[in-house]
Amino acid sequence: MSLEIDGAPYTTPFVALPDEGEIARIAGLDDPVLRNLWITECYARFAHHLLDQLRTDQTWCTFAIWASNTAGVSIRQEELPHAVEHLLADCDQEVDAIVEIGSDHHPAVDWLVGNLHRVHIDRLIRQALGDVADHIAHGNALVFAELGPLFVRFIDEIERRDVVTAADVDDILRCAAIPTDLPLVRDAFHDYARAIAADDPTERAQYVLAANIAAVLHEQQRLQDDVASALDAGLVDVAAEVDRLCSRWLPSFVRSRVAEAAEQRVARHVARLWDHVATCLLMTMDVPGETLRLSRDVPPPAGGPLFPPALDPIVSDELAALLTAWDPTGGTGVGSGAHDWADLHVRMGFIVNLFRSRQQTLTLTTPPFTDEQLAHMAEGRRPPLD
């Protein structure tokens, strides 16, 4: 399919659609790194096939490419030591405050925790990030295993038929044994089918955005426990480290009281340190052409307005209702930065504005991997990644 980006031709390449057996095999991979890489690749393939049908509008699958790719940074824990070293170097004041918890006229505590050094804080941060990686990997696989087979069936159906009706979509969902208590999934696929059938570009774009919001809301509800647990993992347990360091010298009941006192005195420094680490490693998403800071307002695309003309103004009643419920900025994008990523409504405020802003950014379907990297993955090996 030929399109144009800034006057230059853009062609979506042919990519083979994975089948349901391949989806199940990927979801069941024991290696979380390889599993994440293949999940990212499958989302890219879904996105290309759907863009062939929708012409100018990106679906949830396109955004899932880069969300999954971002998840991979945390899942690939071998990349963390270098990152943590730089992050802690940028946070000297907070680390020093934690290390110096024995000061302020508490000589007994000072003596007991005298062995708490920067290396221990470094170890605690790495341990927390390991816990984060486990939660992110679980959420990444959970959503893929649930939605992946549906996209395979849906894409196969729309590519075999000229028109996919609401009844056809219901049959797809019924055959996939989607529970009746998942209305968001049903709404998303119904709206994708309506978008494909729409001739008017504005009507099509607004159906796609409604579908994308329904799909991502379902995804984020599914991920809520993993997101909250991942962020809670950053509550670095200095008390446990103090207890460990004092274990040879004091009985347990004394250690616990000393450790609790130490924890209380450095709690705010620990929170600031984790906020710094989480913002840099967990609240940043790289997409083709830009790096997005999730704690900041969604910026306009380079050289253009925040939203494309087909999505501003909103003329669909269904879409207007979704935006009223999930866009706290009232369509301005001002205040869309997610100051608390663990809060579903705050998180959705950023995501909804991002989706609306970048829905017609065709470069988002840039392949996430090179042919060489895919060849490594096909052999069951982790590829070198830039």
Side-chain angles (χ1 to χ4, degrees), residues 69-384:
N69 191 61
T70 298
V73 174
S74 293
I75 294 170
R76 294 189 295 275
Q77 294 185 55
E78 70 271 13
E79 297 182 7
L80 293 179
H82 182 66
V84 170
E85 180 181 341
H86 282 278
L87 289 170
L88 294 184
D90 291 339
C91 234
D92 282 342
Q93 182 178 353
E94 305 306 339
V95 175
D96 289 344
I98 296 170
V99 171
E100 294 169 5
I101 59 175
S103 62
D104 192 24
H105 310 296
H106 289 77
V109 176
D110 185 49
W111 175 75
L112 289 169
V113 300
N115 289 324
L116 183 64
H117 301 300
R118 293 180 67 92
V119 65
H120 299 113
I121 306 304
D122 177 278
R123 188 180 72 82
L124 289 171
I125 291 292
R126 292 171 196 254
Q127 179 179 313
L129 289 172
D131 293 339
V132 167
D134 291 341
H135 289 296
I136 290 176
H138 177 264
N140 186 231
L142 174 71
V143 172
F144 177 73
E146 184 173 77
L147 295 184
L150 284 177
F151 277 105
V152 169
R153 289 175 181 243
F154 181 75
I155 293 168
D156 182 65
E157 192 74 12
I158 62 177
E159 291 181 342
R160 289 192 300 107
R161 296 171 178 249
D162 292 333
V163 177
V164 174
T165 67
D168 295 328
V169 174
D170 286 337
D171 285 342
I172 292 169
L173 297 173
R174 190 178 304 109
C175 291
I178 293 299
T180 57
D181 62 347
L182 296 182
L184 291 170
V185 175
R186 294 179 179 276
D187 290 348
F189 282 94
H190 276 290
D191 278 336
Y192 284 137
R194 293 184 185 108
I196 291 167
D199 293 322
D200 179 73
T202 296
E203 182 183 16
R204 180 172 62 245
Q206 299 204 9
Y207 274 134
V208 171
L209 182 55
N212 288 346
I213 293 174
V216 78
L217 178 55
H218 170 79
E219 172 202 23
Q220 293 303 314
Q221 288 175 342
R222 276 287 190 262
L223 291 177
Q224 182 60 29
D225 288 345
D226 281 304
V227 169
S229 296
L231 294 174
D232 285 348
L235 301 177
V236 180
D237 195 351
V238 174
E241 186 71 4
V242 172
D243 183 83
R244 186 183 70 83
L245 289 170
C246 299
S247 61
R248 291 176 297 173
W249 309 325
L250 295 173
S252 60
F253 75 93
V254 176
R255 292 201 311 270
S256 64
R257 297 185 69 173
V258 170
E260 287 173 7
E263 181 86 26
Q264 290 174 3
R265 294 174 63 190
V266 299
R268 64 186 176 89
H269 300 291
V270 170
R272 288 176 183 170
L273 175 61
W274 179 247
D275 282 346
H276 176 69
V277 173
T279 297
C280 293
L281 287 184
L282 306 179
M283 297 286 287
T284 301
M285 182 166 68
D286 289 320
V287 300
E290 61 181 328
T291 297
L292 297 167
R293 307 291 179 184
L294 310 187
S295 59
R296 301 177 186 173
D297 289 359
V298 175
L306 181 59
F307 305 126
L311 294 172
D312 192 17
I314 300 301
V315 296
S316 160
D317 291 341
E318 176 196 11
L319 178 55
L322 284 168
L323 291 173
T324 297
W326 296 104
D327 178 11
T329 76
T332 67
V334 177
S336 58
H339 56 83
D340 182 2
W341 197 249
D343 186 304
L344 175 64
H345 280 80
V346 172
R347 195 162 73 242
M348 282 294 295
F350 179 90
I351 294 170
V352 166
N353 279 278
L354 175 64
F355 279 24
R356 184 178 177 185
S357 176
R358 301 304 196 272
Q359 182 170 300
Q360 295 190 339
T361 302
L362 296 176
T363 51
L364 289 181
T365 46
T366 300
F369 304 116
T370 65
D371 290 342
E372 181 181 358
Q373 289 169 333
L374 289 173
H376 278 79
M377 291 160 56
E379 294 171 358
R381 295 184 291 134
R382 299 182 181 184

Side-chain angles (χ1 to χ4, degrees), residues 30-45:
D30 292 330
D31 183 341
V33 173
L34 270 178
R35 184 176 65 227
N36 165 258
L37 294 172
W38 277 116
I39 288 172
T40 304
E41 172 63 16
C42 283
Y43 284 143
R45 296 186 186 187

